[in-house]
Amino acid sequence: MPLNTKIAPLALAALLSFAAIPQAASGQSLNVEFDPNSTCTDVLKENDAAAAVWALGYFANVTQRPRAISMRMVEGFLADYEAACMDTPTESFVSVLDRLIGKVVPASAPSGDTSANAVPYQGQAAEVVNAILQPDADLKSVLISLKPTDEDVRAMFPEPMATRLIGLYETTFGKRLSSEDFPPPPYRVNTGFSTTFSLADDPAMLRQISEGFKDVLDKFQQDVPFGRFEIIFPDTGDSMRLDGLMQINGHWVLMLRPYRALY
């Protein structure tokens, strides 16, 4: 869909909001003339900043959730997108975008939707995210269900770090979590995924998760899906970010702050 054709309102709003930024992500003046049906490599080479803004507007339209645009968001998107484009360099720009939906965009039901008519989230950890998105979600129970088993922890981290983590998670998913009082649903969820071995070469993801994870990059014993998610409480305007969602031994678990077991 070339930019001189009709653009959905949310995509257009995103473009207009970014037009006020004087410099593009690459440091060049922003040029909005590009064709998203061209190959992803051609689009990135010719106009990466305009492509990023168009993509963020596209995502906002798909998810029906407009968001403010920042330079950090543009740079983070480009880091994720370039990696996906490198896998299929002759694929069209917009086709790669469609593959990325569910990985780098929010997973949330539009306001007023219920589980009966909302489109389910279909990205990684779908069973976890969709349980949180239910209109009658029991958030505390969902989080408690993500407690890693002793075997999960030992599969991922070496000793004596694993034993320390097992003790920490007994407290976190026991006394501490059971005493939490979360706002009632509905909730929204933002997600982002990588893998444990890929984190070291994923600067966009490392910027989005707790700084301490940089200290355990050499401790991961398996290469498994790694995710971060943010649970948004619309009624209060607050949110809760949880880093360390991993798929281990065939199920998803939440290994929060493993760097605390280093000391």
Side-chain angles (χ1 to χ4, degrees), residues 28-234:
Q28 303 295 323
S29 297
L30 182 63
N31 173 11
V32 295
E33 294 180 5
F34 84 103
D35 182 358
N37 291 308
S38 297
T39 66
C40 62
T41 48
D42 286 344
V43 168
L44 290 178
K45 180 166 45 174
E46 294 171 6
N47 208 335
D48 60 348
V53 176
W54 190 93
L56 292 170
Y58 181 89
F59 286 165
N61 188 49
V62 168
T63 61
Q64 291 296 293
R65 185 176 175 222
R67 304 178 72 191
I69 295 178
S70 66
M71 288 302 299
R72 180 174 179 179
M73 185 184 298
V74 169
E75 291 166 356
F77 165 78
L78 285 174
D80 288 332
Y81 187 90
E82 286 167 3
C85 179
M86 287 176 63
D87 293 336
T88 54
T90 61
E91 188 176 358
S92 75
F93 179 82
V94 72
S95 177
V96 175
L97 281 183
D98 288 335
R99 285 198 292 106
L100 284 175
I101 291 178
K103 296 181 180 180
V104 298
V105 299
S108 62
S111 177
D113 276 355
T114 66
S115 58
N117 57 26
V119 178
Y121 166 75
Q122 297 178 350
Q124 295 192 66
E127 61 270 35
V128 177
V129 174
N130 284 317
I132 297 171
L133 293 177
Q134 293 301 308
D136 59 349
D138 184 343
L139 182 56
K140 186 181 298 187
S141 294
V142 173
L143 296 180
I144 289 175
S145 74
L146 295 175
K147 177 187 176 184
T149 67
D150 294 0
E151 292 75 19
D152 295 333
V153 178
R154 291 196 169 98
M156 184 53 57
F157 295 105
E159 294 292 356
M161 183 179 176
T163 296
R164 295 191 193 111
L165 279 176
I166 290 169
L168 287 172
Y169 293 150
E170 283 295 329
T171 301
T172 299
F173 290 89
K175 183 187 302 183
R176 186 170 302 169
L177 187 53
S178 63
S179 65
E180 288 285 348
D181 186 17
F182 297 111
Y187 308 115
R188 294 192 186 125
V189 181
N190 290 343
T191 65
F193 289 93
S194 184
T195 74
T196 48
F197 286 1
S198 298
L199 275 176
D201 300 314
D202 192 345
M205 187 68 165
L206 286 175
R207 286 196 299 267
Q208 297 174 46
I209 63 177
S210 301
E211 184 78 13
F213 275 97
K214 294 180 181 179
D215 297 332
V216 298
L217 294 177
D218 62 341
K219 303 298 183 184
F220 293 126
Q221 298 187 138
Q222 295 186 45
D223 190 21
V224 303
F226 176 98
R228 56 96 185 152
F229 65 110
E230 178 186 17
I231 302 171
I232 300 168
F233 309 117

